[in-house]
Amino acid sequence: MSQKLSVKHSATGKEFDFELNRNEVRIGRSPDVNELVLDDERISRRHAVLRREGKTYLLIDLKSVNGTVVNGKRIEERLLANNDLLEIGGYSLLFDEGLTPSLQYDSAPITATALMLAPDLLASSLPRIDVSALSSAHPEELLEDIQTLKKKAETLAHLYELNRLLSSTFSLEDIFEKLSDMILRLTPADRFLVLLSDKESGELNPFFVRFRSGRGSAEDRDAPVSKTVVDRVLSERIALLSSDARADERFAQAQSLTIQRIHSIMCVPLSSQDGLLGLIYVDGRNPFEQFDSDHLDLLNALATAAAMATENAASHAQLVKEALARATYKRFLPQHVVNQILADPNAISLGGISQAATILFSDIRGFTALAETMAPDTVLKILNDVFSGITPVVFEYEGILDKFIGDGLMALFGVPYQDADSALKAVGAAIAMQERLAVLNHDLRRLGLPSVSMGTGINTGNVTVGYVGSAERTDYTAIGDAVNLAARLEKQALGGQILISQMTREALADRYILRPRGELELKGKRRPVQIFEVLWQESQSGHREDEGEADAPPAISPPTI
């Protein structure tokens, strides 16, 4: 079972569990920099951090204003123990170290087996009763058959009970918690152990353990597992029972089993259509209450239900993960890039490649001065309305929204897949953004709010593109001189202007009406850069300002995605 914090807010009563499944967990009020976010004004933005130390965690207070308390004492650092109570602001957090059992194998050879049963033969041991012969059957034989049927009916009832419990459960721990409850209640098992198979290596790893005696003693936790039994179950996909493991010849030299007083063992596979998920291993110490075939039937049937529930839990977790990822990525990436990331999560790795791309910067002109004369909520409304209107345009033209920069944005075209039309799409997006802004301004004026204008700079060139950041948070972005030039062009653009570089002009192939705007001196560049303005209104209407009426080049429409 994984380690976790049981979190509760004293004022609202809100409770939730936070699983500790990474080497470092940052705790604080700000959602931008913390994995565990605690919404309380008494908690610092960066309040504390948990760092894995061996099998537990080291809690470090980050010099917070109101401090961090463990078991009633304020601490700077504290190595956590099971059931330690943390107090941070108005939250209490109970540390549960979990039970990750150590796995020790005993390799004694197997010479005898009490019972082996394939998973699909659960009903094979049902007695065959000839109804026509009931009148002549001996009463004791009939009673024995009825008792056998009763036991099988009880097994089916328990299976129904488990399926009902698992129908709405998507947590592996909850699945095996319910299963262990049933096995410890209905059989003489003293230990219930689940080993799950690693998807990549196929190696079995301990995942869940439960003892009849609660958390179990150190001796209980170190009790060995028969490697012979496990190997047999794995290789033959059978359910196996040894009714007296200590007396069985195969354990004659297994001194550790004798010391642990293990008398009987059951082991069943957790199988799915795609292969082996793992196995369930139970053992008991009481020589007067040993496992029998009915117990094996029960465990085998419950394991089948648990395997299905385990697959459902994995599918549910994957669907939730994909839904969250899709919701996150769709805010910044076009649909085809989101699909690529979900199809190949390994594509998200730190680092980048060099490739040609077109970079667009756009910024609202005079917005800082405008904001000083308006209420903050009005400023945010205007900004959100503008961004909500123009951001979809970037995606329509297969661009990537790199980031918002104050009252501006940066977008990339021609990444992650190289595209010979990246310049055309970037300019097409810039024009569509200006047109969308004209509609938004009409709505703003109707509400009695001031209209806004936007300047845009576009450049094409080689950049390094890829994922930059840390293991916890990454951003897809572009770096290089070509990015810097696009930003400089945007600074030169007036409201309503779209300025492009010579490199972008060459990539447009006379598809838009352009006007030279001189040269731009750049620090570190030997030669000045030629600048051109896209006469987007004339390009769209087919009118050349300086040449009179002429055939205008066709406008670029949003590509079909």
Side-chain angles (χ1 to χ4, degrees), residues 7 16 40 55 61 108-109 135 140 143 153 168 197 235 250 268 293 296 332 343 369 387 412 415 420 476 512 515 526:
V7 184
F16 63 92
D40 190 310
K55 294 184 178 181
D61 182 80
S135 58
E140 60 273 12
L143 181 61
S168 60
S197 178
S235 62
R250 63 187 157 156
V268 299
S293 60
L296 186 63
F332 304 100
F387 283 147
L412 306 175
V415 296
Y476 190 85
Y512 289 99
R515 175 182 295 165
R526 296 180 181 177

PDB file of all heavy atoms in Angstrom, residues 7 16 40 55 61 108-109 135 140 143 153 168 197 235 250 268 293 296 332 343 369 387 412 415 420 476 512 515 526:
ATOM      1  N   VAL A   7      -5.855  14.336   4.837  1.00  0.00           N
ATOM      2  CA  VAL A   7      -5.915  15.785   5.042  1.00  0.00           C
ATOM      3  C   VAL A   7      -7.340  16.188   5.435  1.00  0.00           C
ATOM      4  O   VAL A   7      -8.315  15.737   4.835  1.00  0.00           O
ATOM      5  CB  VAL A   7      -5.493  16.532   3.759  1.00  0.00           C
ATOM      6  CG1 VAL A   7      -5.452  18.039   4.006  1.00  0.00           C
ATOM      7  CG2 VAL A   7      -4.133  16.033   3.272  1.00  0.00           C
ATOM      8  N   PHE A  16      -9.687  14.746   2.395  1.00  0.00           N
ATOM      9  CA  PHE A  16      -9.235  14.018   1.212  1.00  0.00           C
ATOM     10  C   PHE A  16      -7.901  13.344   1.535  1.00  0.00           C
ATOM     11  O   PHE A  16      -7.220  13.710   2.495  1.00  0.00           O
ATOM     12  CB  PHE A  16      -9.083  14.941  -0.004  1.00  0.00           C
ATOM     13  CG  PHE A  16      -8.049  16.025   0.149  1.00  0.00           C
ATOM     14  CD1 PHE A  16      -6.737  15.831  -0.263  1.00  0.00           C
ATOM     15  CD2 PHE A  16      -8.386  17.254   0.706  1.00  0.00           C
ATOM     16  CE1 PHE A  16      -5.790  16.833  -0.128  1.00  0.00           C
ATOM     17  CE2 PHE A  16      -7.450  18.269   0.849  1.00  0.00           C
ATOM     18  CZ  PHE A  16      -6.138  18.050   0.430  1.00  0.00           C
ATOM     19  N   ASP A  40      -5.539  28.250   2.584  1.00  0.00           N
ATOM     20  CA  ASP A  40      -5.738  28.858   3.894  1.00  0.00           C
ATOM     21  C   ASP A  40      -4.784  30.047   3.993  1.00  0.00           C
ATOM     22  O   ASP A  40      -3.591  29.915   3.739  1.00  0.00           O
ATOM     23  CB  ASP A  40      -5.446  27.845   5.010  1.00  0.00           C
ATOM     24  CG  ASP A  40      -5.878  28.349   6.385  1.00  0.00           C
ATOM     25  OD1 ASP A  40      -5.503  29.488   6.730  1.00  0.00           O
ATOM     26  OD2 ASP A  40      -6.561  27.608   7.108  1.00  0.00           O
ATOM     27  N   LYS A  55      12.465   4.711   3.577  1.00  0.00           N
ATOM     28  CA  LYS A  55      11.084   4.249   3.506  1.00  0.00           C
ATOM     29  C   LYS A  55      10.095   5.255   4.082  1.00  0.00           C
ATOM     30  O   LYS A  55       8.904   4.970   4.185  1.00  0.00           O
ATOM     31  CB  LYS A  55      10.948   2.912   4.246  1.00  0.00           C
ATOM     32  CG  LYS A  55      11.706   1.773   3.581  1.00  0.00           C
ATOM     33  CD  LYS A  55      11.447   0.464   4.293  1.00  0.00           C
ATOM     34  CE  LYS A  55      12.174  -0.682   3.596  1.00  0.00           C
ATOM     35  NZ  LYS A  55      11.923  -1.983   4.269  1.00  0.00           N
ATOM     36  N   ASP A  61      10.190  22.534   7.193  1.00  0.00           N
ATOM     37  CA  ASP A  61       9.474  23.805   7.159  1.00  0.00           C
ATOM     38  C   ASP A  61      10.325  24.837   6.413  1.00  0.00           C
ATOM     39  O   ASP A  61      11.526  24.986   6.687  1.00  0.00           O
ATOM     40  CB  ASP A  61       9.201  24.303   8.579  1.00  0.00           C
ATOM     41  CG  ASP A  61       8.416  25.599   8.581  1.00  0.00           C
ATOM     42  OD1 ASP A  61       7.198  25.540   8.406  1.00  0.00           O
ATOM     43  OD2 ASP A  61       9.049  26.665   8.731  1.00  0.00           O
ATOM     44  N   ALA A 108      12.396 -24.223  -1.405  1.00  0.00           N
ATOM     45  CA  ALA A 108      12.309 -25.675  -1.204  1.00  0.00           C
ATOM     46  C   ALA A 108      11.582 -26.321  -2.375  1.00  0.00           C
ATOM     47  O   ALA A 108      10.593 -25.794  -2.859  1.00  0.00           O
ATOM     48  CB  ALA A 108      11.578 -25.971   0.096  1.00  0.00           C
ATOM     49  N   PRO A 109      12.083 -27.501  -2.844  1.00  0.00           N
ATOM     50  CA  PRO A 109      11.431 -28.164  -3.986  1.00  0.00           C
ATOM     51  C   PRO A 109      10.060 -28.678  -3.615  1.00  0.00           C
ATOM     52  O   PRO A 109       9.801 -29.044  -2.476  1.00  0.00           O
ATOM     53  CB  PRO A 109      12.394 -29.313  -4.320  1.00  0.00           C
ATOM     54  CG  PRO A 109      13.101 -29.597  -3.031  1.00  0.00           C
ATOM     55  CD  PRO A 109      13.254 -28.260  -2.361  1.00  0.00           C
ATOM     56  N   SER A 135     -34.783 -41.127  -5.182  1.00  0.00           N
ATOM     57  CA  SER A 135     -35.591 -41.960  -4.294  1.00  0.00           C
ATOM     58  C   SER A 135     -34.819 -43.142  -3.743  1.00  0.00           C
ATOM     59  O   SER A 135     -35.101 -43.619  -2.644  1.00  0.00           O
ATOM     60  CB  SER A 135     -36.833 -42.457  -5.054  1.00  0.00           C
ATOM     61  OG  SER A 135     -36.427 -43.187  -6.197  1.00  0.00           O
ATOM     62  N   GLU A 140     -27.416 -40.521   3.672  1.00  0.00           N
ATOM     63  CA  GLU A 140     -26.137 -39.856   3.984  1.00  0.00           C
ATOM     64  C   GLU A 140     -25.459 -39.335   2.724  1.00  0.00           C
ATOM     65  O   GLU A 140     -24.831 -38.275   2.723  1.00  0.00           O
ATOM     66  CB  GLU A 140     -25.208 -40.808   4.735  1.00  0.00           C
ATOM     67  CG  GLU A 140     -24.832 -42.075   4.006  1.00  0.00           C
ATOM     68  CD  GLU A 140     -25.852 -43.192   4.232  1.00  0.00           C
ATOM     69  OE1 GLU A 140     -26.945 -42.908   4.769  1.00  0.00           O
ATOM     70  OE2 GLU A 140     -25.549 -44.343   3.873  1.00  0.00           O
ATOM     71  N   LEU A 143     -27.395 -36.202   1.693  1.00  0.00           N
ATOM     72  CA  LEU A 143     -27.059 -35.101   2.593  1.00  0.00           C
ATOM     73  C   LEU A 143     -25.697 -34.513   2.238  1.00  0.00           C
ATOM     74  O   LEU A 143     -25.511 -33.285   2.250  1.00  0.00           O
ATOM     75  CB  LEU A 143     -27.064 -35.597   4.044  1.00  0.00           C
ATOM     76  CG  LEU A 143     -26.740 -34.543   5.109  1.00  0.00           C
ATOM     77  CD1 LEU A 143     -27.772 -33.409   5.086  1.00  0.00           C
ATOM     78  CD2 LEU A 143     -26.703 -35.183   6.496  1.00  0.00           C
ATOM     79  N   ALA A 153     -23.122 -22.698  -3.285  1.00  0.00           N
ATOM     80  CA  ALA A 153     -24.053 -21.565  -3.316  1.00  0.00           C
ATOM     81  C   ALA A 153     -23.527 -20.418  -2.467  1.00  0.00           C
ATOM     82  O   ALA A 153     -23.659 -19.236  -2.833  1.00  0.00           O
ATOM     83  CB  ALA A 153     -25.424 -22.011  -2.813  1.00  0.00           C
ATOM     84  N   SER A 168     -18.259   0.007  -8.012  1.00  0.00           N
ATOM     85  CA  SER A 168     -17.976   1.456  -8.065  1.00  0.00           C
ATOM     86  C   SER A 168     -16.607   1.791  -7.486  1.00  0.00           C
ATOM     87  O   SER A 168     -16.372   2.923  -7.084  1.00  0.00           O
ATOM     88  CB  SER A 168     -19.062   2.218  -7.303  1.00  0.00           C
ATOM     89  OG  SER A 168     -19.106   1.802  -5.946  1.00  0.00           O
ATOM     90  N   SER A 197       2.488  -7.688 -11.110  1.00  0.00           N
ATOM     91  CA  SER A 197       3.537  -7.821 -12.115  1.00  0.00           C
ATOM     92  C   SER A 197       3.884  -6.468 -12.717  1.00  0.00           C
ATOM     93  O   SER A 197       2.996  -5.700 -13.095  1.00  0.00           O
ATOM     94  CB  SER A 197       3.074  -8.778 -13.212  1.00  0.00           C
ATOM     95  OG  SER A 197       4.036  -8.894 -14.233  1.00  0.00           O
ATOM     96  N   SER A 235       3.751 -20.315 -13.903  1.00  0.00           N
ATOM     97  CA  SER A 235       4.044 -21.056 -15.131  1.00  0.00           C
ATOM     98  C   SER A 235       2.821 -21.795 -15.663  1.00  0.00           C
ATOM     99  O   SER A 235       2.624 -21.902 -16.874  1.00  0.00           O
ATOM    100  CB  SER A 235       5.194 -22.034 -14.899  1.00  0.00           C
ATOM    101  OG  SER A 235       4.842 -22.993 -13.907  1.00  0.00           O
ATOM    102  N   ARG A 250       7.778 -31.134   0.555  1.00  0.00           N
ATOM    103  CA  ARG A 250       8.454 -30.079  -0.224  1.00  0.00           C
ATOM    104  C   ARG A 250       9.017 -28.994   0.681  1.00  0.00           C
ATOM    105  O   ARG A 250       9.842 -28.189   0.266  1.00  0.00           O
ATOM    106  CB  ARG A 250       7.474 -29.451  -1.226  1.00  0.00           C
ATOM    107  CG  ARG A 250       6.303 -28.764  -0.578  1.00  0.00           C
ATOM    108  CD  ARG A 250       5.291 -28.304  -1.603  1.00  0.00           C
ATOM    109  NE  ARG A 250       4.009 -28.166  -0.944  1.00  0.00           N
ATOM    110  CZ  ARG A 250       3.049 -27.385  -1.396  1.00  0.00           C
ATOM    111  NH1 ARG A 250       3.238 -26.687  -2.479  1.00  0.00           N
ATOM    112  NH2 ARG A 250       1.910 -27.301  -0.775  1.00  0.00           N
ATOM    113  N   VAL A 268      -3.257 -18.067  -5.920  1.00  0.00           N
ATOM    114  CA  VAL A 268      -4.057 -18.049  -7.153  1.00  0.00           C
ATOM    115  C   VAL A 268      -3.582 -16.909  -8.045  1.00  0.00           C
ATOM    116  O   VAL A 268      -3.127 -15.868  -7.563  1.00  0.00           O
ATOM    117  CB  VAL A 268      -5.563 -17.875  -6.854  1.00  0.00           C
ATOM    118  CG1 VAL A 268      -6.070 -19.033  -6.006  1.00  0.00           C
ATOM    119  CG2 VAL A 268      -5.835 -16.551  -6.164  1.00  0.00           C
ATOM    120  N   SER A 293     -10.615 -27.406  -0.125  1.00  0.00           N
ATOM    121  CA  SER A 293     -10.969 -27.129  -1.521  1.00  0.00           C
ATOM    122  C   SER A 293     -12.020 -26.029  -1.636  1.00  0.00           C
ATOM    123  O   SER A 293     -12.047 -25.266  -2.606  1.00  0.00           O
ATOM    124  CB  SER A 293     -11.475 -28.410  -2.199  1.00  0.00           C
ATOM    125  OG  SER A 293     -12.625 -28.900  -1.526  1.00  0.00           O
ATOM    126  N   LEU A 296     -10.267 -22.794  -1.498  1.00  0.00           N
ATOM    127  CA  LEU A 296      -9.584 -22.512  -2.765  1.00  0.00           C
ATOM    128  C   LEU A 296     -10.581 -22.071  -3.829  1.00  0.00           C
ATOM    129  O   LEU A 296     -10.300 -21.156  -4.614  1.00  0.00           O
ATOM    130  CB  LEU A 296      -8.819 -23.745  -3.234  1.00  0.00           C
ATOM    131  CG  LEU A 296      -7.937 -23.524  -4.472  1.00  0.00           C
ATOM    132  CD1 LEU A 296      -6.836 -22.519  -4.169  1.00  0.00           C
ATOM    133  CD2 LEU A 296      -7.344 -24.834  -4.968  1.00  0.00           C
ATOM    134  N   PHE A 332      -3.465  25.152 -24.699  1.00  0.00           N
ATOM    135  CA  PHE A 332      -2.285  25.742 -25.327  1.00  0.00           C
ATOM    136  C   PHE A 332      -1.923  25.120 -26.673  1.00  0.00           C
ATOM    137  O   PHE A 332      -1.184  25.716 -27.436  1.00  0.00           O
ATOM    138  CB  PHE A 332      -1.076  25.595 -24.392  1.00  0.00           C
ATOM    139  CG  PHE A 332      -1.294  26.189 -23.033  1.00  0.00           C
ATOM    140  CD1 PHE A 332      -1.621  25.401 -21.950  1.00  0.00           C
ATOM    141  CD2 PHE A 332      -1.189  27.551 -22.831  1.00  0.00           C
ATOM    142  CE1 PHE A 332      -1.829  25.941 -20.689  1.00  0.00           C
ATOM    143  CE2 PHE A 332      -1.392  28.113 -21.580  1.00  0.00           C
ATOM    144  CZ  PHE A 332      -1.714  27.304 -20.511  1.00  0.00           C
ATOM    145  N   ALA A 343      -1.047   9.827 -27.342  1.00  0.00           N
ATOM    146  CA  ALA A 343      -0.676   8.553 -27.958  1.00  0.00           C
ATOM    147  C   ALA A 343       0.724   8.123 -27.553  1.00  0.00           C
ATOM    148  O   ALA A 343       1.013   6.935 -27.445  1.00  0.00           O
ATOM    149  CB  ALA A 343      -0.767   8.664 -29.485  1.00  0.00           C
ATOM    150  N   ALA A 369      -1.594  51.898 -19.641  1.00  0.00           N
ATOM    151  CA  ALA A 369      -2.133  53.212 -19.294  1.00  0.00           C
ATOM    152  C   ALA A 369      -3.659  53.155 -19.142  1.00  0.00           C
ATOM    153  O   ALA A 369      -4.240  53.793 -18.260  1.00  0.00           O
ATOM    154  CB  ALA A 369      -1.755  54.227 -20.373  1.00  0.00           C
ATOM    155  N   PHE A 387      -8.556  37.819 -25.084  1.00  0.00           N
ATOM    156  CA  PHE A 387      -7.835  36.555 -25.225  1.00  0.00           C
ATOM    157  C   PHE A 387      -8.777  35.411 -25.583  1.00  0.00           C
ATOM    158  O   PHE A 387      -8.419  34.528 -26.365  1.00  0.00           O
ATOM    159  CB  PHE A 387      -7.068  36.226 -23.950  1.00  0.00           C
ATOM    160  CG  PHE A 387      -5.804  37.024 -23.787  1.00  0.00           C
ATOM    161  CD1 PHE A 387      -5.347  37.387 -22.532  1.00  0.00           C
ATOM    162  CD2 PHE A 387      -5.061  37.404 -24.885  1.00  0.00           C
ATOM    163  CE1 PHE A 387      -4.182  38.124 -22.379  1.00  0.00           C
ATOM    164  CE2 PHE A 387      -3.891  38.142 -24.752  1.00  0.00           C
ATOM    165  CZ  PHE A 387      -3.449  38.507 -23.492  1.00  0.00           C
ATOM    166  N   LEU A 412       3.487  29.777 -31.895  1.00  0.00           N
ATOM    167  CA  LEU A 412       4.434  29.118 -32.793  1.00  0.00           C
ATOM    168  C   LEU A 412       3.676  28.418 -33.906  1.00  0.00           C
ATOM    169  O   LEU A 412       2.631  27.806 -33.665  1.00  0.00           O
ATOM    170  CB  LEU A 412       5.280  28.099 -32.027  1.00  0.00           C
ATOM    171  CG  LEU A 412       6.028  28.590 -30.790  1.00  0.00           C
ATOM    172  CD1 LEU A 412       6.701  27.423 -30.087  1.00  0.00           C
ATOM    173  CD2 LEU A 412       7.043  29.647 -31.161  1.00  0.00           C
ATOM    174  N   VAL A 415       5.426  23.804 -35.805  1.00  0.00           N
ATOM    175  CA  VAL A 415       5.952  22.892 -34.791  1.00  0.00           C
ATOM    176  C   VAL A 415       4.768  22.163 -34.157  1.00  0.00           C
ATOM    177  O   VAL A 415       3.642  22.691 -34.151  1.00  0.00           O
ATOM    178  CB  VAL A 415       6.753  23.645 -33.700  1.00  0.00           C
ATOM    179  CG1 VAL A 415       7.980  24.301 -34.280  1.00  0.00           C
ATOM    180  CG2 VAL A 415       5.887  24.699 -32.996  1.00  0.00           C
ATOM    181  N   ALA A 420       5.930  23.709 -44.416  1.00  0.00           N
ATOM    182  CA  ALA A 420       6.405  24.713 -45.378  1.00  0.00           C
ATOM    183  C   ALA A 420       5.483  25.920 -45.430  1.00  0.00           C
ATOM    184  O   ALA A 420       5.888  27.001 -45.886  1.00  0.00           O
ATOM    185  CB  ALA A 420       6.519  24.076 -46.767  1.00  0.00           C
ATOM    186  N   TYR A 476       6.229  23.723 -23.536  1.00  0.00           N
ATOM    187  CA  TYR A 476       6.728  23.582 -24.895  1.00  0.00           C
ATOM    188  C   TYR A 476       6.973  24.981 -25.434  1.00  0.00           C
ATOM    189  O   TYR A 476       6.065  25.805 -25.490  1.00  0.00           O
ATOM    190  CB  TYR A 476       5.705  22.848 -25.756  1.00  0.00           C
ATOM    191  CG  TYR A 476       6.238  22.456 -27.111  1.00  0.00           C
ATOM    192  CD1 TYR A 476       6.959  21.276 -27.279  1.00  0.00           C
ATOM    193  CD2 TYR A 476       6.037  23.260 -28.215  1.00  0.00           C
ATOM    194  CE1 TYR A 476       7.450  20.913 -28.513  1.00  0.00           C
ATOM    195  CE2 TYR A 476       6.519  22.911 -29.462  1.00  0.00           C
ATOM    196  CZ  TYR A 476       7.226  21.732 -29.616  1.00  0.00           C
ATOM    197  OH  TYR A 476       7.719  21.379 -30.841  1.00  0.00           O
ATOM    198  N   TYR A 512       0.276  37.964 -50.088  1.00  0.00           N
ATOM    199  CA  TYR A 512      -0.341  39.097 -49.397  1.00  0.00           C
ATOM    200  C   TYR A 512       0.246  40.393 -49.936  1.00  0.00           C
ATOM    201  O   TYR A 512       1.344  40.432 -50.487  1.00  0.00           O
ATOM    202  CB  TYR A 512      -0.106  39.024 -47.891  1.00  0.00           C
ATOM    203  CG  TYR A 512      -0.881  37.927 -47.220  1.00  0.00           C
ATOM    204  CD1 TYR A 512      -0.267  36.720 -46.920  1.00  0.00           C
ATOM    205  CD2 TYR A 512      -2.227  38.082 -46.884  1.00  0.00           C
ATOM    206  CE1 TYR A 512      -0.968  35.692 -46.301  1.00  0.00           C
ATOM    207  CE2 TYR A 512      -2.934  37.066 -46.280  1.00  0.00           C
ATOM    208  CZ  TYR A 512      -2.306  35.875 -45.991  1.00  0.00           C
ATOM    209  OH  TYR A 512      -3.005  34.868 -45.401  1.00  0.00           O
ATOM    210  N   ARG A 515       3.984  46.243 -47.704  1.00  0.00           N
ATOM    211  CA  ARG A 515       4.576  47.565 -47.878  1.00  0.00           C
ATOM    212  C   ARG A 515       5.887  47.611 -47.100  1.00  0.00           C
ATOM    213  O   ARG A 515       5.909  47.292 -45.904  1.00  0.00           O
ATOM    214  CB  ARG A 515       3.629  48.641 -47.372  1.00  0.00           C
ATOM    215  CG  ARG A 515       4.256  50.051 -47.413  1.00  0.00           C
ATOM    216  CD  ARG A 515       3.306  51.084 -46.858  1.00  0.00           C
ATOM    217  NE  ARG A 515       2.127  51.208 -47.698  1.00  0.00           N
ATOM    218  CZ  ARG A 515       1.010  51.810 -47.334  1.00  0.00           C
ATOM    219  NH1 ARG A 515       0.901  52.321 -46.122  1.00  0.00           N
ATOM    220  NH2 ARG A 515      -0.014  51.904 -48.159  1.00  0.00           N
ATOM    221  N   ARG A 526      25.138  42.279 -37.750  1.00  0.00           N
ATOM    222  CA  ARG A 526      25.994  43.106 -38.595  1.00  0.00           C
ATOM    223  C   ARG A 526      25.178  43.990 -39.535  1.00  0.00           C
ATOM    224  O   ARG A 526      25.553  45.126 -39.814  1.00  0.00           O
ATOM    225  CB  ARG A 526      26.921  42.214 -39.426  1.00  0.00           C
ATOM    226  CG  ARG A 526      27.913  41.410 -38.579  1.00  0.00           C
ATOM    227  CD  ARG A 526      28.791  40.567 -39.496  1.00  0.00           C
ATOM    228  NE  ARG A 526      29.747  39.767 -38.728  1.00  0.00           N
ATOM    229  CZ  ARG A 526      30.595  38.905 -39.276  1.00  0.00           C
ATOM    230  NH1 ARG A 526      30.589  38.749 -40.607  1.00  0.00           N
ATOM    231  NH2 ARG A 526      31.428  38.227 -38.531  1.00  0.00           N
TER     232      ARG A 526
END
